[in-house]
Amino acid sequence: MKNWADWYRIITFAEKTLLVIIAFLTAYAVLVEIVLILTERAVKLTDLLLLFIYAEVLGMVAAFYKFRKIPITVPIFIAITALCRLIILQGKGINTIDLLYESGAVLLLAISALVIRWNLINLVNAKESDDT
C-alpha cells in the first residue's frame, strides 16, 4: 500500500507543478499579447478572443486550486472560443465546407455544455428533494 501512496504523491506533485507552470506561462502570454496590442495601437476581435482564452485558462487553474477539481464546462468554453477565433482568423476566404465543419463543432460543443449543465442542475435538484 505504501508504494501506491508514493506514486500518488509523485503524480499529485507533478500535476500541481504543471498547473503552476501553465499559470505562469499563460500570464506571460497575456503580457506579450498586451504589448503586441499596444505596439500596434489596434485591438482586433481575435486579440480579445485570445485574451479571453487566456483568462479562461487562468480561471481553470484557479478553480483547481480552490475546489480541487476542474469544471468540465470550462474546457468546452475554451474550445468554443478557440474555434470561433479560428473562424474569424480565416476570414472571408474560408472554404464553405470548412466553415460548416467548424460551425458544427461549435454547435456540438455548445450542446454538450448545455447537456452537462442541465444534468448537473437535475442532479442538484434530485439531491435536494431526497434531503427533504
Side-chain angles (χ1 to χ4, degrees):
M1 188 66 176
K2 177 127 172 73
N3 191 21
W4 167 254
D6 290 340
W7 277 108
Y8 176 78
R9 288 175 49 205
I10 290 168
I11 292 170
T12 303
F13 177 76
E15 177 185 40
K16 290 179 181 181
T17 303
L18 282 173
L19 285 172
V20 168
I21 291 169
I22 289 169
F24 279 120
L25 290 176
T26 304
Y28 175 74
V30 167
L31 290 175
V32 168
E33 185 66 22
I34 289 173
V35 167
L36 186 65
I37 290 170
L38 293 175
T39 55
E40 289 181 359
R41 295 182 182 208
V43 181
K44 297 177 283 229
L45 180 59
T46 54
D47 298 330
L48 295 175
L49 289 173
L50 185 59
L51 288 172
F52 181 76
I53 291 170
Y54 291 150
E56 287 296 316
V57 169
L58 288 173
M60 204 166 58
V61 172
F64 175 80
Y65 277 103
K66 185 173 183 179
F67 302 113
R68 297 288 181 236
K69 60 183 177 179
I70 296 173
I72 189 66
T73 52
V74 174
I76 293 173
F77 293 143
I78 292 172
I80 290 170
T81 307
L83 281 168
C84 291
R85 183 175 183 271
L86 176 67
I87 291 169
I88 293 168
L89 280 172
Q90 290 172 343
K92 293 181 181 177
I94 187 172
N95 186 357
T96 307
I97 195 73
D98 290 340
L99 180 61
L100 284 173
Y101 287 145
E102 292 164 0
S103 301
V106 169
L107 180 62
L108 197 68
L109 287 166
I111 291 170
S112 67
L114 185 64
V115 167
I116 289 169
R117 186 78 178 136
W118 183 73
N119 283 335
L120 288 174
I121 290 170
N122 286 340
L123 183 65
V124 169
N125 289 341
K127 192 175 186 180
E128 287 175 357
S129 65
D130 288 345
D131 291 341
T132 56

